[in-house]
Coordinates of all heavy atoms in Angstrom, one line a residue:
I7 N 0.8 -1.2 0.0 CA 0.0 0.0 -0.1 C 0.9 1.2 0.1 O 1.9 1.4 0.7 CB -0.9 0.0 1.2 CG1 -2.0 -1.2 1.1 CG2 -1.6 1.4 1.4 CD1 -2.7 -1.5 2.4
R8 N 0.4 2.3 -0.7 CA 1.2 3.5 -0.8 C 1.5 4.0 0.6 O 0.6 4.2 1.4 CB 0.3 4.5 -1.6 CG 0.9 5.9 -1.8 CD -0.2 6.7 -2.6 NE 0.2 8.1 -2.7 CZ -0.6 9.2 -2.3 NH1 -1.8 8.8 -1.6 NH2 -0.3 10.3 -2.4
G9 N 2.8 4.4 0.8 CA 3.1 5.0 2.1 C 3.5 4.0 3.2 O 3.9 4.4 4.2
D10 N 3.2 2.7 2.9 CA 3.3 1.7 4.0 C 4.7 1.1 4.1 O 4.9 0.0 3.6 CB 2.2 0.7 3.8 CG 2.0 -0.2 5.2 OD1 2.6 0.1 6.1 OD2 1.1 -1.1 5.1
L11 N 5.6 1.8 4.7 CA 7.0 1.3 4.6 C 7.2 0.0 5.4 O 7.9 -0.9 5.0 CB 8.0 2.4 5.2 CG 8.2 3.7 4.5 CD1 9.1 4.7 5.3 CD2 8.7 3.5 3.1
K12 N 6.4 -0.2 6.4 CA 6.5 -1.4 7.2 C 6.2 -2.6 6.4 O 6.7 -3.8 6.7 CB 5.6 -1.3 8.5 CG 5.5 -2.4 9.3 CD 4.7 -2.2 10.6 CE 5.3 -1.3 11.5 NZ 4.7 -1.3 12.9
Y13 N 5.4 -2.4 5.3 CA 5.0 -3.7 4.6 C 5.5 -3.5 3.0 O 4.9 -4.1 2.1 CB 3.5 -3.9 4.5 CG 3.0 -4.4 5.9 CD1 2.6 -3.5 7.0 CD2 3.1 -5.8 6.2 CE1 2.3 -4.0 8.1 CE2 2.8 -6.3 7.5 CZ 2.4 -5.4 8.4 OH 2.1 -5.9 9.7
G14 N 6.6 -2.8 2.8 CA 7.3 -2.8 1.6 C 7.2 -1.7 0.6 O 7.5 -1.7 -0.5
A15 N 6.4 -0.7 1.0 CA 6.2 0.5 0.2 C 7.6 1.2 -0.1 O 8.5 1.2 0.7 CB 5.3 1.5 0.7
K16 N 7.7 1.8 -1.3 CA 9.0 2.5 -1.7 C 9.2 3.7 -0.9 O 10.4 4.0 -0.6 CB 8.9 2.8 -3.1 CG 8.9 1.6 -4.1 CD 9.0 2.1 -5.6 CE 9.0 0.8 -6.5 NZ 7.7 0.3 -6.5
R17 N 8.2 4.5 -0.5 CA 8.4 5.8 0.2 C 7.3 6.1 1.2 O 6.2 5.5 1.0 CB 8.7 6.9 -0.7 CG 7.5 7.0 -1.7 CD 7.8 8.2 -2.8 NE 8.8 7.9 -3.6 CZ 8.7 7.2 -4.7 NH1 7.5 6.7 -5.1 NH2 9.8 6.8 -5.4
S18 N 7.5 6.9 2.1 CA 6.5 7.3 3.1 C 5.8 8.5 2.6 O 5.9 9.0 1.5 CB 7.2 7.7 4.4 OG 8.0 8.7 4.2
L19 N 4.6 8.7 3.3 CA 3.8 9.8 3.0 C 3.9 10.9 4.1 O 4.3 10.5 5.3 CB 2.2 9.4 3.0 CG 1.9 8.5 1.7 CD1 0.5 8.2 1.8 CD2 2.1 9.1 0.4
P20 N 3.6 12.2 3.7 CA 3.7 13.2 4.7 C 2.8 13.0 5.9 O 1.6 12.6 5.6 CB 3.3 14.6 3.9 CG 3.6 14.2 2.6 CD 3.4 12.8 2.4
G21 N 3.2 13.1 7.1 CA 2.4 12.8 8.3 C 2.4 11.4 8.7 O 1.8 11.1 9.7
G22 N 3.0 10.5 7.9 CA 3.1 9.1 8.4 C 1.9 8.2 8.2 O 1.9 7.0 8.5
G23 N 0.9 8.7 7.4 CA -0.3 7.8 7.1 C 0.0 7.0 5.9 O 1.0 7.0 5.3
I24 N -1.0 6.0 5.6 CA -0.9 5.2 4.4 C -2.2 5.3 3.7 O -3.2 5.8 4.3 CB -0.6 3.7 4.8 CG1 -1.7 3.1 5.7 CG2 0.7 3.6 5.7 CD1 -1.5 1.6 6.0
S25 N -2.1 4.9 2.4 CA -3.3 5.0 1.6 C -4.3 3.8 1.7 O -4.5 3.1 0.7 CB -2.9 5.3 0.1 OG -2.2 6.5 0.0
L26 N -4.7 3.5 2.9 CA -5.7 2.5 3.3 C -6.8 3.3 3.9 O -6.6 4.0 4.9 CB -5.1 1.4 4.1 CG -6.1 0.3 4.5 CD1 -6.6 -0.4 3.3 CD2 -5.4 -0.7 5.4
H27 N -8.0 3.2 3.4 CA -9.1 4.0 3.9 C -10.4 3.1 4.1 O -10.8 2.3 3.3 CB -9.5 4.9 2.8 CG -10.6 5.9 3.1 ND1 -10.4 6.9 4.1 CD2 -11.8 6.1 2.6 CE1 -11.6 7.5 4.1 NE2 -12.4 7.0 3.1
S28 N -10.9 3.1 5.3 CA -12.1 2.3 5.7 C -13.2 3.1 5.0 O -13.8 4.1 5.4 CB -12.4 2.4 7.2 OG -13.6 1.9 7.5
R29 N -13.6 2.6 3.8 CA -14.6 3.3 2.9 C -16.0 3.2 3.3 O -16.7 4.1 3.1 CB -14.4 2.7 1.4 CG -15.3 3.3 0.4 CD -15.0 4.8 0.1 NE -15.8 5.2 -1.0 CZ -15.8 6.5 -1.4 NH1 -15.2 7.5 -0.6 NH2 -16.5 6.9 -2.5
R30 N -16.5 2.0 3.8 CA -17.8 1.8 3.9 C -18.1 0.8 5.1 O -17.4 -0.2 5.1 CB -18.5 1.3 2.8 CG -20.1 1.3 2.7 CD -20.6 1.2 1.2 NE -20.1 0.2 0.5 CZ -19.1 0.2 -0.5 NH1 -18.7 1.5 -0.9 NH2 -18.7 -0.9 -1.1
V31 N -19.2 1.1 5.9 CA -19.7 0.0 6.8 C -21.1 -0.2 6.7 O -21.9 0.8 6.4 CB -19.4 0.4 8.3 CG1 -17.9 0.4 8.7 CG2 -19.8 1.8 8.7
E32 N -21.6 -1.4 6.6 CA -23.0 -1.7 6.4 C -23.4 -2.9 7.4 O -22.7 -3.8 7.6 CB -23.0 -2.3 5.0 CG -22.6 -1.4 3.8 CD -22.6 -2.2 2.5 OE1 -23.5 -2.4 2.0 OE2 -21.5 -2.4 2.1
F33 N -24.5 -2.6 7.9 CA -25.0 -3.4 9.0 C -26.4 -3.2 9.3 O -27.1 -2.2 8.8 CB -24.3 -3.2 10.4 CG -24.2 -1.8 10.8 CD1 -25.1 -1.2 11.7 CD2 -23.2 -0.9 10.3 CE1 -25.0 0.0 12.1 CE2 -23.2 0.4 10.7 CZ -24.1 0.9 11.6
E34 N -27.1 -4.1 10.1 CA -28.5 -3.9 10.5 C -28.4 -3.0 11.8 O -27.7 -3.4 12.7 CB -29.2 -5.2 10.7 CG -30.5 -5.1 11.1 CD -31.2 -6.4 11.5 OE1 -31.0 -7.0 12.6 OE2 -31.9 -6.9 10.6

């Protein structure tokens, strides 16, 4: 994943975040 140095990304992102986003939650 973009920015995820811990899991093999080439470079980090400003602020230390990674490009993984909890997009949607669905439930009753």
